[in-house]
Amino acid sequence: VTFIDKMLPKCDPSDKEGSLKLLEDLINNAAGIQQQVLEEILNRNSNTEYLRGFLNGNTDKKMFKQKVPMVDYEDIKHYIEKIANGGASDIISAQPITELLTSSGTSGGQRKLMPTTAEELERIVFFNNLMATVINRYIDGLDKGKGMFLMFIKQEIITPSGLVARPAMTSYYKSSHFKKISSSYTSPYETIMCLDSKQSMYCQLLCGLIRRDEVVYIGTAFASVFLRAIKFLEEHWQEMCSNIRTGNVSDWITDKSCRSAVMNILRGPNSKLVNLIESLFHVKSWEGVIKKLWPGAKYVYVILTGSMAQYIPMVDFYCGGLPLVSAGYASSECYIGLNLNPLCQPYDVSYTLIPNMAYFEFIPVDKNGEAEGLVGEAIDLVDVKLEKHYELVVTTFTGLYRYRIGDILMVTGFYNNTPQFRFVHRRNVVLSIDAEKTNEEDLQNAITRARSIIEPLGCFLTDYTSFPDISSMPGHYVLYWELKTRGGEALPELRSTTLEQCCYRVEESLDYMYKKCRSEDKAIGPLEIRVVKYGAFDALMDLFISQGSSVSQYKTPRCIKSDEALQILNARMVASFFSQNTPTLEP
């Protein structure tokens, strides 16, 4: 029995009892499996240039933890670039590196190249089957129809070595495995493979409308992409209805494969269908529109954890009470964990790390992601403590050793003695003017409290970002807010005092150090909210996509560092408001 057979046993979601037993066995034996994973990785790769430099062929776990340093991307970048430029895979991996995966660059502020191997696809398939097993445990009948899951690919780059560099989701969607299972979705394979994201979006949504009676679940990878799809539907539903009425696709859909695939689904005019869906679109409010358009949908798959949590009210508004499922936790580096209670409330999602995906370590940190004690100290998966914060470190089968992903997690509980984690925020995504540090979670919590002022007025905060403005003294926090009414109007009319109250509510919700710097030391100026036109964050997304980010993996950056991005937002600013009071400094 090979290691791959032993560690990635067959997982068939249709065999509910067998696959659930497999999942339980994995979780119940996490400590032993983690030990086996590390042993296998070290035995395979001990003679690589990278590990040999630290261990000289030794495969002992204690030596590994003592000698191999924990690293960031900058520490290993030159090894990966060496391979991209023609160097041998055994610089970091005994297995051939088959391609390089590009991260989105929107969560941590930097695009990265991550090595991967042919074997990794088997691990991804195994993970996805486990995820399906968990969902099938709670939701019946998913095998009776199709998923309307919106998927997009990005143009790949050929590196000097001949290796392909592309986003992780593009790699998966272009795999032979995905092509085999693509018929389980409403989107024809050709529409997913279309490189023009606008044509792809249009055709996938159109096919979803035509096949509405077959849909059993709906989704996108991230909430930001889901809401972009709804906005796209708002702008194009009349054209789509015209296509269904005439039985022909719009002339601007010029991708031949894409066009042909959609025409095969249209199969002539359908006035009965178009009359029905037109009546659902042509309403004052789109509240619950997803549930109405796709009445057979049992849930919505969309990641709503971390920075995506701010979209929960809007996604829920459009979905009309359908369960919102954040099922999995993954990164460009490796697949990580599953939500074993997928029907929980979005704010309560925790992930159980799957022990055969990689070797996991945890650096104890405070809630801001600052290391407690020596940075060189990291503990194993089964040694973490309840309610403590940790930074995740991974050693993968693909050539990453003690790599700091940059995710800050908090232990929320245990499942059969295996810890469960809440994703808190990304490391280093902070606002700072003086001595204070405001992390992503603190900012999001403060904005959540502030938007409670405008929500009773029928107003949604559709998206936000921030930056520390130090162009004047003292510097101050700037928040960019995009607003929309429940009735669909792009920009609601709000009194200036209302937004000023929002500014003050944010400041009141930040920590003691911020309020001390703001109120006592006068080192920080009044917080500012800049309201931007509806669609400004679409323009921001378009900028990052034009610079190489993938539509499927895009996440709105919560702290802007790019001058070009700031120019886009400032050019679409319609009003600016400042806090009129200093926050209370509690004793």
Side-chain angles (χ1 to χ4, degrees), residues 10 98 126 131 144 190 192 235 242 289 299 321-322 331 459 468 471 528 530 549:
K10 181 176 174 57
T98 52
F126 178 83
M131 185 162 62
K144 307 300 183 186
E190 295 82 358
I192 300 167
E235 295 169 348
S242 175
V289 69
Y299 75 97
L322 281 171
S331 68
C459 185
S471 61
E528 177 185 4
R530 296 179 186 176
S549 294

Side-chain angles (χ1 to χ4, degrees), residues 136-269:
N136 288 340
R137 181 180 192 175
Y138 290 89
I139 305 173
D140 291 324
L142 296 177
D143 57 341
K144 307 300 183 186
K146 296 179 181 289
M148 197 191 91
F149 198 88
L150 303 178
M151 297 163 276
F152 306 91
I153 66 166
K154 185 74 180 174
Q155 179 69 59
E156 55 197 35
I157 300 166
I158 306 298
T159 64
S161 66
L163 290 176
V164 171
R166 55 192 178 186
M169 289 184 180
T170 296
S171 175
Y172 176 66
Y173 296 148
K174 296 188 84 169
S175 69
S176 58
H177 169 79
F178 178 78
K179 191 168 186 179
K180 289 176 187 174
I181 65 167
S182 62
S183 60
S184 61
Y185 300 101
T186 58
S187 300
Y189 182 74
E190 295 82 358
T191 64
I192 300 167
M193 292 298 108
C194 178
L195 284 168
D196 185 318
S197 60
K198 183 179 179 182
Q199 291 190 53
S200 177
M201 177 82 82
Y202 185 92
C203 291
Q204 290 191 61
L205 287 170
L206 178 57
C207 290
L209 290 172
I210 298 165
R211 292 174 152 178
R212 67 188 294 266
D213 292 334
E214 301 176 64
V215 173
V216 291
Y217 74 93
I218 295 164
T220 61
F222 293 105
S224 53
V225 181
F226 185 82
L227 292 175
R228 183 179 173 99
I230 290 175
K231 184 173 185 295
F232 191 93
L233 201 55
E234 287 176 332
E235 295 169 348
H236 293 88
W237 70 264
Q238 291 172 309
E239 185 180 355
M240 291 177 188
C241 286
S242 175
N243 288 177
I244 297 170
R245 180 177 286 109
T246 62
N248 200 17
V249 187
S250 298
D251 291 340
W252 64 272
I253 304 299
T254 55
D255 184 289
K256 291 181 181 178
S257 297
C258 199
R259 186 179 186 86
S260 176
V262 178
M263 288 298 292
N264 285 337
I265 291 172
L266 264 176
R267 294 180 180 174

Side-chain angles (χ1 to χ4, degrees), residues 409-476:
L409 311 177
M410 187 185 83
V411 182
T412 57
F414 295 85
Y415 183 93
N416 293 352
N417 297 319
T418 298
Q420 298 180 302
F421 297 86
R422 178 170 67 87
F423 179 94
V424 181
H425 61 82
R426 294 282 296 173
R427 177 168 56 95
N428 296 334
V429 181
V430 295
L431 285 169
S432 183
I433 297 289
D434 192 70
E436 92 301 348
K437 288 184 179 179
T438 301
N439 66 41
E440 184 179 316
E441 184 187 31
D442 289 340
L443 179 63
Q444 183 168 296
N445 289 338
I447 288 175
T448 297
R449 294 187 185 102
R451 75 182 183 204
S452 66
I453 295 172
I454 59 174
E455 284 175 348
L457 304 176
C459 185
F460 275 125
L461 173 63
T462 61
D463 217 335
Y464 73 88
T465 190
S466 64
F467 92 103
D469 186 350
I470 54 172
S471 61
S472 59
M473 293 298 290
H476 68 287

